[in-house]
Structure formats: structure tokens, C-alpha cells
Amino acid sequence: MSSNLSGKVILLTGAASGIGRGTAIKLNSLGAILAITDVNEPALAETLTLCSGGSNSEHHTAHTLDVSNSADVEERVAQVVTKYGHIDHVFNCAGVNPTAMSLTETSEAYFDKLVSVNLKGMFNVTKATIPHMIAPGGSYVNVSSISGWNPDAGTAVYCATKFGVIGFSKCMALELGPKGIRVNIVAPGYINTPTNAGIVRGTPEARRRMEQGNALGRMGTPEDIAGVVAFLMSDEARYMNGSVVGVDGMLIT
């Protein structure tokens, strides 16, 4: 896998923490050239530092980016293309995790925030990058969730966005496949990241319930997802298009 990702220009959103940061570190270790983005500039700078030392790390760049703002996306993508000339792969990872609440407690502002980042943000980045993708050979890996097919009471808006990510991605796989550009989806389960506090609720009891409800007896890690993302971008996954890959350790129902 390392040979066919080495030197590839990869744009990542949501790279300041969690799955995005873990995937940036993994791709750096495989010799990719990274354009990492996030709204959190200080944490993004930390990710850039953690990606030092790779064979192409001197070529990495970091850009603050609000994926929900189409003008901001267009400007940042233009900067990336000006520097590198093209994009080989895109990792659409930027997202807002859910806060468990009933629909009657859910505000319009909360609805707008999740939809604008989780769904519209992916639309903005995909639309802006398509003209600059290597074809054939380019790919998108988009982050959905096990909530993209497994509804859960108290997370209606989040589930709606993650169901939407799968539908959007499959349509893009049909649209871009004839150009030789693949689109695949990774669907993480419960991953131990700082932004999952709204699900875990910060209590040891809630964490234990999650671990006991998983066949592997633990929550996932960003590294568990990063390896799958790297595979989906590689030539080993060259006939995977429109696939939804669950990475959840197998929930016990």
C-alpha cells in the first residue's frame, strides 16, 4: 500500500483531532503529501507537527477551513491546487458529533449546524475538488457512521445527516466512476475521540456499557479507522466504488 500512496496529494478535512488527525498521521507514514484542514487552527498546527518526519512531510500544508462556507472551501481548494497542481485523494472527515436529545428538545440552530457541516460541508468540498482530481485513479473517502444505517432514539438529526452522506456518496460513485474516480464510505462505530463526549456523556459507566456492548470488548480508536481509509485510497481497493465499510468491532444487539 505504501508504494501507491507515496507522493500522492491528499486533502483532508477535520484533521485537527480524532479520526482526521489519526488518518493524517497514518497517511504521512505512507509517504503521502498532505493538505490538512480544519476550523481549529491551533489543533491543526499540532497535527501538522505530528506529521513531521515522513518522507514527504516537508511538502505538507495546513489550511484553516470552514467546510460549511462554500466561498471558504473554493478559496482553500484553489490554494491547494496552486501549490500541488492537482489532488489525488480527498478524505471528507469534517463533522459534528451528536448530542443525545429528544426531537422536541432539538433546536433549529442545532439542526442547521449538523446539516451544514456534516452534509453540506461534504457537498461543498466534493464539488470544489472534482475539477482538480486525478482521473483515472483519484478517490474520495467520506465519513458516515454506523448511525448511517442504524437509527438510534435521541440522535434523529445526526442520523439524518449520516444517512444522507451514504446516499450522496453512492450517487457520486455513479457519477464519477466513469471518469475513473472512486467514492467510498467508511462508517465508524463508537470511537474513543474527544468529540464523542456527547455520546459517551463523560461517565465511566457509559463507557463500560459501550465496551460491553461490542464483540471486541472495547471502543475503537482513530488508528482503527485510519488503516481502512488508507486501504480504500490504495490500488488494492481499485474495484471498490460506492462501498460502505463498517468499522465498528461488531455491536452486540
Side-chain angles (χ1 to χ4, degrees):
M1 188 187 334
S2 60
S3 62
N4 59 56
L5 288 182
S6 181
K8 299 297 184 182
V9 176
I10 304 178
L11 172 67
L12 299 88
T13 69
S17 65
I19 292 172
R21 172 177 284 181
T23 301
I25 293 170
K26 175 67 174 181
L27 296 174
N28 171 68
S29 75
L30 297 175
I33 297 171
L34 308 180
I36 59 173
T37 69
D38 201 285
V39 292
N40 187 333
E41 186 173 7
L44 187 64
E46 292 177 15
T47 299
L48 188 63
T49 299
L50 291 169
C51 290
S52 63
S55 60
N56 282 300
S57 60
E58 72 273 15
H59 301 300
H60 298 339
T61 55
H63 310 261
T64 56
L65 174 64
D66 176 2
V67 296
S68 69
N69 185 318
S70 60
D72 196 19
V73 170
E74 291 282 355
E75 182 178 352
R76 295 298 177 267
V77 169
Q79 290 173 343
V80 170
V81 173
T82 296
K83 180 171 180 61
Y84 302 115
H86 70 278
I87 299 169
D88 290 285
H89 303 286
V90 173
F91 183 43
N92 274 312
C93 185
V96 179
N97 279 333
T99 300
M101 66 180 80
S102 69
L103 190 61
T104 55
E105 296 174 313
T106 302
S107 68
E108 185 176 354
Y110 177 81
F111 175 93
D112 289 344
K113 180 179 181 180
L114 263 65
V115 171
S116 67
V117 176
N118 293 0
L119 196 52
K120 182 185 176 186
M122 187 170 294
F123 161 81
N124 286 340
V125 172
T126 304
K127 182 179 179 182
T129 53
I130 286 172
H132 310 291
M133 293 289 285
I134 286 292
S139 80
Y140 291 84
V141 179
N142 297 335
V143 177
S144 179
S145 166
I146 56 169
S147 296
W149 66 70
N150 184 36
D152 185 29
T155 61
V157 178
Y158 180 76
C159 284
T161 64
K162 293 305 182 177
F163 270 73
V165 164
I166 291 176
F168 173 80
S169 301
K170 284 182 172 287
C171 289
M172 294 314 301
L174 290 171
E175 185 172 331
L176 297 178
K179 304 177 188 294
I181 299 172
R182 299 178 297 110
V183 183
N184 290 296
I185 308 104
V186 62
Y190 296 127
I191 307 301
N192 189 9
T193 67
T195 57
N196 264 332
I199 307 172
V200 179
R201 297 178 185 271
T203 67
E205 293 79 11
R207 184 177 297 277
R208 278 195 295 272
R209 285 196 299 272
M210 284 186 171
E211 293 171 345
Q212 293 167 359
N214 191 287
L216 295 182
R218 65 175 178 87
M219 293 180 69
T221 67
E223 293 74 23
D224 293 327
I225 309 302
V228 177
V229 174
F231 167 72
L232 290 173
M233 290 178 179
S234 74
D235 288 346
E236 280 81 357
R238 60 189 172 273
Y239 201 57
M240 293 182 70
N241 188 37
S243 298
V244 183
V245 182
V247 191
D248 62 6
M250 188 62 188
L251 301 185
I252 300 172
T253 56

